[in-house]
């Protein structure tokens, strides 16, 4: 009994989620309330009683003023949006986050230093102005990056909310005796609404009158067939009663008038949506990674900072300069631009994905998609086209392909075509008649639409139907499972009866079967043969419809004979079997390629569908989600029942179809075991609640699970999944709200593109981080040299900031534009244990590439000093004299240097160091472009990156040669040939990395990969 | 419905739990894991590989660095700076300095020889190089023999910082600058024309004229010492200034060097072309004690 199971499924959602809700915290009494309110009893009431209850009038409707009052009292008729981030929250997060607070401390410290510098003049060489400049630059950094990040996130949020408000639906209501079209959100309790096919039910409505009114309640009950409604109460359960329709359900056909009995949050869907909001959302993997990374970096920065504070304080005994150097170390370690860069990277990728018809609701969702290792996909609409199409015709004991037109003139084939064209209730929508047949809108159910479309394309059905008008009709009923029409035939001027229905059923009414050689008696032998053919078609996952006919003799049924379908004054027995037509919802084009791609990428695709297992298996096979034999195949081959397959053989299969009934009997461990055992699984006949169960079990097996869904009942699974993907076309509003990503074209292939994009993002984020972290080494080590070797400081704090937020920022962002490496989809998905920032990346950045940069910088530094007469030996352990304004320092040539002059030399050396870091950061961005393939192969086709290199160089030139920058950043112009001092290291870095990649690609030694492949 | 369970409501878990065990156990495992015999996450063999890798890596890096530095030293002339005069940051305006070099101020007691012995020792050291020079050995006052005039009337030696390649542009004797002190003008006038090519030094008390200042070695730095080209055994010429200040009064003497290409800036913040020396004489008895202090300036 389908009805029973519907009720169970709809209420079990409430019951099933209850324990977890208790964990999550929402009020349990509220939940009980919701549950009890299911039985409002509106469906029992008569229209007069309803008028009293809702203070309305069935004929004239509300008055405008009363409606307005109601709207104010009960609020708009819309679902509460899932909690989003407010602008203020984003703003606060961007300006006063973890990093930012560290920097604010630094800035405040500098301003304090500036105001007290006169009284604290301690002779350490920091004039008051330097404090001021540094403070200003830090503040500008925080505000600049903060506002930029805020802008990016706000822009992204605007895109999201823009999508949600894309199509505000309207409703037709009767108010003050006139029909009005008002926005759906203004519908109030007691409104008299009119609904017609194609619309969406505006609220929970009790039907007063209706004609042939059908709604698709699948989002609420899971029942995919549209429900035909009646004004009478048919069941004590309002969800089952035919006189109730619910908010958000699409109206497939007919029209109706009714009273609104619940709006907004109080509607059935509103209550379920309310449950969804109560579900806790797990933090996305990338968010976890980034949080982890930020904490780590902040920790490291503070540890080093504190270490330096103590060290400098012990050496110099000045708390102010100790604080300065602590700040320096922290500034060097905290990659100020990183957060902005990451935001930009992900926004870029989200935009990219949008172009590919994936709309990511959160930035992190994009990356999560890349680490997906398991996709639980819907069948209808995602893997298939969601449109029934005729695939085979069966007549004369032969199965013909739909494209096989050689036999059209055969007697049996022609008869079948005629029968199929005539016995149709579906028609083309009048206003779309001018369009090509494929694009015309058809009124009618999916199977009839398919037949009509096929027959119109190949047999000009409309013409046939006009010529042979329908005289009588017994509509399809689930009670007798057939449909009969009687037509007045133009050619023979007689009546012709056609019966259509499930083939096994209609066969029972037949005594003859048509063949090309004439009619043949239907012996049990023939019957068996025919049934075998039907099973063969059904095993291909096709829906089979049988046809039989009867030429009503003219003498018994002369023209003008009154057919009475109630009395059945015509024969429906001893018919002639004509043939059958089978239909299928075909897999989307190239879906098998997409699935193959997933398979290569180590991603399991699990089909979860409400369909019959045989259909599900056939589609799985066509899509490629199941490639190996299953117990079903064994049963078909050996013509035995599935339950008769010996357990020994059953255990050998690597693929399986698990039905909802089997699933119901399984425990968590059973399912886990099955999921481990079978590489390929299709879940058939499942309810949406079981989807949640399946998802949770896969997650417990350490899979990162993506789930696609469209119904309201899918939303718990969408919410629970690591990444929920809702359908943009067929999806309900609730499922879209619960999902992290929306497929605008409902196409599975978009998910695969999304996965590729997600992996690319993860790679690019790694590259970005590797690039950004690298410059920390040459920024930090100068302080070590200064403190330990007593050399003049090679790098100032302000120049560190210039690198971190100036020259590093653009190249880091430009890495987000890097295209994917070609083998990206042949590597297995990232394990949850693979971190974004791992040990190898840190070692690479800090101890390999960073060291090259440090050496390059030191070389430039020594060259500038040596050219001024200070050979390296003469600047060791001179800090005390060097920093003292009254002392003189002798250079190697014996010249005496006064404070002002030697400070200029120092500034020039610092500038040279800075320029060297800029150069080696350029080579760093070049080597970060690719992790595996050769740079020659990859090329320099990322023009954003190329541009950023140019901008980087210009920035370095400006900082070096612009007089204003000399003042603000404390730089000193260097001679043009000193600008290129870092070149040998530039070349070394690129060649060295090329060698590294070569070794990794050739797999010459595994350890190179282990130590240097991040 | 309450009894119906398809597993959904019993599953509080969603993820495999992290590796269990108390913290110390996990830390021990991180340090030494007996399962795969790894120490701090790496087996000894892998540690070896890592060490060799970094050894090779840094060796290559160091070699490149050394090579670059080698090229630098080959191209550098260790006698002549790369940039000279105006292209050099040290500039083409020599600073004026005095010896003994003094940093900070302190008291000097003329009865206590330890308070001025360090200056005498410094001067002995400083002038040691000059001993072989005939120009120096011909001097009679302000030498080791008279203990450089310490403690009663100490000698200071004014010199110019060495600037590679710098040639003084001497003042024309016939058109000496108008701000030149008259005693120096008169002194120059008495000299034979051969000795006109000198950088003149004039010293004066900044406050009063009571301090007696003598120039026992002459009042100019002879031009034959210039230009400085980092010659072997090059010695900067010196002018000795013998100061006899008034006791118990802080005295500041400003000494200025005179040549056309020595820019004079009397500002204390950006001094150029002169040097200041502060002397404080403490006298407990009736005798002078000398305290010197001041900054060495251009």
């Amino acid at each position: 009994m389908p009805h029973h199971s519907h009720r169970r499924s709809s209420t079990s959602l409430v019951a099933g989620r209850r324990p977890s809700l208790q964990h999550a915290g929402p009020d349990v009494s509220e939940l009980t309330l919701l549950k009890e309110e299911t039985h409002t009893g509106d469906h029992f009431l008569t229209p007069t009683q309803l008028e009293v209850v809702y203070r309305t009038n069935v004929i004239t409707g509300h008055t405008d003023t009363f409606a307005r009052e109601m709207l104010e009292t009960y609020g708009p008729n819309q679902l509460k949006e899932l909690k989003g981030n407010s602008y203020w929250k984003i703003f606060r997060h961007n300006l006063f986050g973890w990093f930012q607070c560290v920097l604010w401390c630094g800035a405040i410290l500098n301003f304090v230093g500036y105001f007290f510098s006169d009284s604290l003049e301690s002779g350490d060489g920091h004039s008051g102005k330097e404090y001021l400049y540094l403070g200003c630059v830090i503040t500008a950094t925080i505000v600049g990056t903060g506002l930029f990040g805020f802008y990016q996130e706000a822009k992204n949020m605007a895109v999201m909310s823009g999508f949600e408000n894309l199509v505000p639906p309207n409703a037709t209501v009767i108010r003050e005796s006139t029909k009005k079209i008002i926005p759906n959100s203004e519908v109030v309790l007691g409104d008299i609404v009119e609904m017609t096919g194609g619309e969406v039910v505006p609220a929970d409505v009790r039907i007063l009158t209706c004609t042939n009114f059908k709604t698709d309640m699948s989002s609420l009950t899971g029942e995919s067939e549209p429900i035909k409604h009646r004004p009478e109460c048919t069941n004590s359960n309002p969800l089952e009663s035919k006189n109730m329709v619910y908010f958000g359900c699409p109206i497939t056909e007919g029209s109706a008038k009714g009273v609104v009995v619940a709006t907004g949050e109080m509607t059935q869907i509103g209550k379920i949506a309310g449950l969804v909001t109560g579900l806790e959302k797990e933090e996305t993997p990338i968010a976890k990674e980034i949080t982890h990374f930020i904490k780590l970096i902040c920790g490291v920065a503070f540890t080093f900072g504190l270490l330096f504070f103590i060290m400098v304080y012990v050496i110099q005994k000045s708390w102010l300069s100790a604080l300065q150097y602590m700040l320096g170390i922290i500034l060097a370690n905290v990659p100020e631009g990183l957060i902005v860069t990451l935001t930009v990277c992900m926004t870029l990728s989200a935009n990219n994905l949008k172009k590919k018809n994936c709309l990511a609701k959160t930035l992190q969702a994009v990356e999560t998609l890349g680490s997906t290792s398991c996709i639980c996909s819907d069948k209808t609409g995602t893997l298939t086209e969601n449109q029934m199409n005729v695939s085979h015709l069966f007549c004369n004991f032969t199965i013909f392909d739909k494209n096989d037109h050689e036999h059209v003139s055969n007697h049996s084939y022609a008869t079948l075509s005629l029968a199929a064209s005539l016995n149709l209730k579906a028609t083309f929508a009048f206003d779309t008649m001018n369009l090509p047949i494929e694009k015309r809108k058809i009124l009618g159910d999916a199977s009839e639409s398919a037949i009509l479309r096929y027959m119109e394309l190949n047999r000009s059905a409309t013409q046939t139907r006009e010529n042979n008008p329908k005289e009588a009709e017994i509509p399809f009923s689930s009670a007798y499972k057939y449909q009969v029409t009687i037509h007045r035939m133009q050619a023979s001027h007689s009546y012709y009866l056609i019966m259509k229905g499930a083939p096994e059923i209609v066969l029972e009414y037949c005594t003859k079967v048509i063949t090309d050689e004439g009619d043949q008696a239907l012996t049990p032998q023939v019957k068996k043969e025919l049934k075998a053919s039907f099973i063969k078609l059904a095993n291909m996952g096709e829906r089979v419809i049988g046809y039989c006919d009867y030429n009503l003799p003219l003498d018994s049924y002369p023209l003008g004979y009154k057919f009475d379908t109630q009395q059945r004054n015509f024969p429906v027995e001893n018919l002639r079997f004509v043939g059958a037509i089978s239909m299928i919802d075909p897999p989307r084009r190239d879906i098998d390629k997409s699935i193959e791609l997933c398979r290569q990428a180590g991603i399991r695709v699990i089909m979860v569908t409400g369909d019959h297992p045989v259909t599900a298996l056939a589609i799985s096979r066509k899509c490629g989600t199941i490639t190996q034999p299953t117990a079903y195949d064994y049963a078909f081959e050996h013509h035995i029942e599935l339950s008769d397959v010996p357990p020994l053989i059953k255990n050998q299969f690597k693929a399986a179809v698990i039905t909802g009934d089997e699933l119901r009997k399984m425990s968590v461990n059973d399912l886990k075991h099955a999921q481990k055992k079978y590489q390929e699984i299709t879940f058939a006949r499942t309810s949406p609640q079981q989807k949640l169960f399946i998802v949770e079990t896969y997650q417990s097996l350490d899979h990162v699970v993506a789930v696609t869904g469209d119904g309201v009942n899918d939303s718990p699974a969408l919410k629970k999944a690591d990444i929920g993907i809702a359908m943009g076309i067929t999806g309900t509003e609730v499922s879209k709200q619960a999902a992290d990503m929306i497929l605008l074209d409902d196409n599975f292939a978009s998910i695969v593109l999304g996965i590729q994009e997600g992996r690319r993002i993860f790679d690019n984020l790694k590259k970005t981080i590797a690039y950004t972290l690298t410059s920390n080494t040459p920024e930090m080590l100068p302080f070590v040299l200064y403190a330990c070797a007593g050399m003049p400081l090679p790098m100032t704090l302000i120049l560190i900031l210039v690198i971190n937020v100036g020259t590093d920022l653009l190249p880091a962002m430009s890495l987000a534009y890097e295209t994917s490496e070609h083998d990206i989809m042949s590597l297995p998905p990232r394990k949850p244990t693979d971190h974004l920032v791992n040990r190898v990346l840190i070692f690479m950045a800090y101890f390999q590439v960073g060291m090259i940069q440090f050496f390059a910088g030191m070389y430039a530094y020594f060259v500038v000093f040596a050219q001024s007469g200070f050979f390296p030996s003469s600047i060791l352990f001179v800090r005390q004299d060097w920093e003292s304004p009254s002392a003189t320092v002798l250079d190697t040539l014996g010249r005496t240097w006064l404070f002002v002059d030697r400070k200029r030399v120092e500034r020039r050396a610092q500038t040279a160091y800075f320029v060297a870091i800029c150069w080696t950061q350029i080579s760093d961005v070049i080597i970060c472009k690719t992790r595996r393939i050769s740079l020659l192969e990859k090329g320099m086709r990322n023009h954003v990156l190329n541009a950023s290199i140019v901008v980087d160089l210009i920035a370095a030139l400006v900082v070096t040669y612009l007089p204003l920058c000399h003042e603000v950043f404390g730089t000193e112009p260097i001679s043009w040939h000193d600008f290129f001092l870092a070149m040998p290291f530039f070349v070394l870095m690129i060649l060295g990395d090329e060698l590294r990649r070569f070794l990794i690609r050739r797999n010459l030694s595994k350890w190179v990969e282990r130590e240097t492949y991040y | 419905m309450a009894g119906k369970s398809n597993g959904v409501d019993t599953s509080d878990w969603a993820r495999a739990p992290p590796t269990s065990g108390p913290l110390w156990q996990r830390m021990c495992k991180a340090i030494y894991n007996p399962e795969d015999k790894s120490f701090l996450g790496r087996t000894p063999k892998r540690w070896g590989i890592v060490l060799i890798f970094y050894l090779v890596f840094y060796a290559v890096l160091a070699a490149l660095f050394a090579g670059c530095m080698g090229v630098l030293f080959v191209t550098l002339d260790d006698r002549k700076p790369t940039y000279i005069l105006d292209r050099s940051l040290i500039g083409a305006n020599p600073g004026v300095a005095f010896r003994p070099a003094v940093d900070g101020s302190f008291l000097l007691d003329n009865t206590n020889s330890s308070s001025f012995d360090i200056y005498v020792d410094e001067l002995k050291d400083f002038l040691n190089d000059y001993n072989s020079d005939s120009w120096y050995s011909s001097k009679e006052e302000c030498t080791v023999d008279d203990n450089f005039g310490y403690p009663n009337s100490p000698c200071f030696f004014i010199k110019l910082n060495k600037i590679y390649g710098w040639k003084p542009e001497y003042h024309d004797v016939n058109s000496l600058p108008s701000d030149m002190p008259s005693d120096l003008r008169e002194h120059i006038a008495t000299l034979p024309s051969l000795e006109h090519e000198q950088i003149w030094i004039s010293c004066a008390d900044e406050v009063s004229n009571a301090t007696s200042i003598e120039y026992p070695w002459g009042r100019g730095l002879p031009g034959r010492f210039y230009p400085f080209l980092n010659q072997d055994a090059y010695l900067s010429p010196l002018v000795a200034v013998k100061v006899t200040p008034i006791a118990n009064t802080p005295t500041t003497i400003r000494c200025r060097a005179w040549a056309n290409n020595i820019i004079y800036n009397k500002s204390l913040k950006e001094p150029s072309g002169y040097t200041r020396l502060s002397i404080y004489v403490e006298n407990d008895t009736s005798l002078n004690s000398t305290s010197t202090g001041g900054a060495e300036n251009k």
Side-chain angles (χ1 to χ4, degrees), chain A residues 17 668 693 696 699-700 722 843 847-848 851 855 859 866-867 886 893 896 898 901 905 975 1007 1010-1011, chain B residues 6 8 11 13-15 42 46 50 53-54 57-58 61 65 68 76 78 81-83 89 103 298:
Chain A
R17 295 308 304 169
V668 173
F693 177 45
E696 287 191 323
Q699 284 184 330
S700 74
D722 294 288
F843 271 68
F847 298 115
Q848 294 171 28
M851 283 310 273
F855 274 83
Y859 173 62
Q867 283 172 347
S886 56
L893 297 174
T896 315
L898 303 177
D901 293 328
V905 177
S975 67
W1007 60 265
R1010 264 206 303 247
E1011 293 306 327
Chain B
N6 56 10
V8 176
S11 51
W13 40 261
R15 292 273 174 200
R42 286 197 173 97
R46 287 200 59 200
V50 168
F53 171 75
Y54 277 96
F57 180 81
Y58 287 131
L61 194 55
F65 186 73
C68 286
L76 279 182
D78 56 358
T82 315
Y83 304 113
L89 285 175
D103 191 16
K298 264 188 190 175

Side-chain angles (χ1 to χ4, degrees), chain A residues 128-149:
Chain A
K129 263 190 176 173
E130 273 176 50
Y131 286 114
L132 183 66
Y133 287 143
L134 191 54
C136 287
V137 169
I138 297 175
T139 312
T141 303
I142 310 169
V143 175
T145 56
L147 287 183
F148 191 61

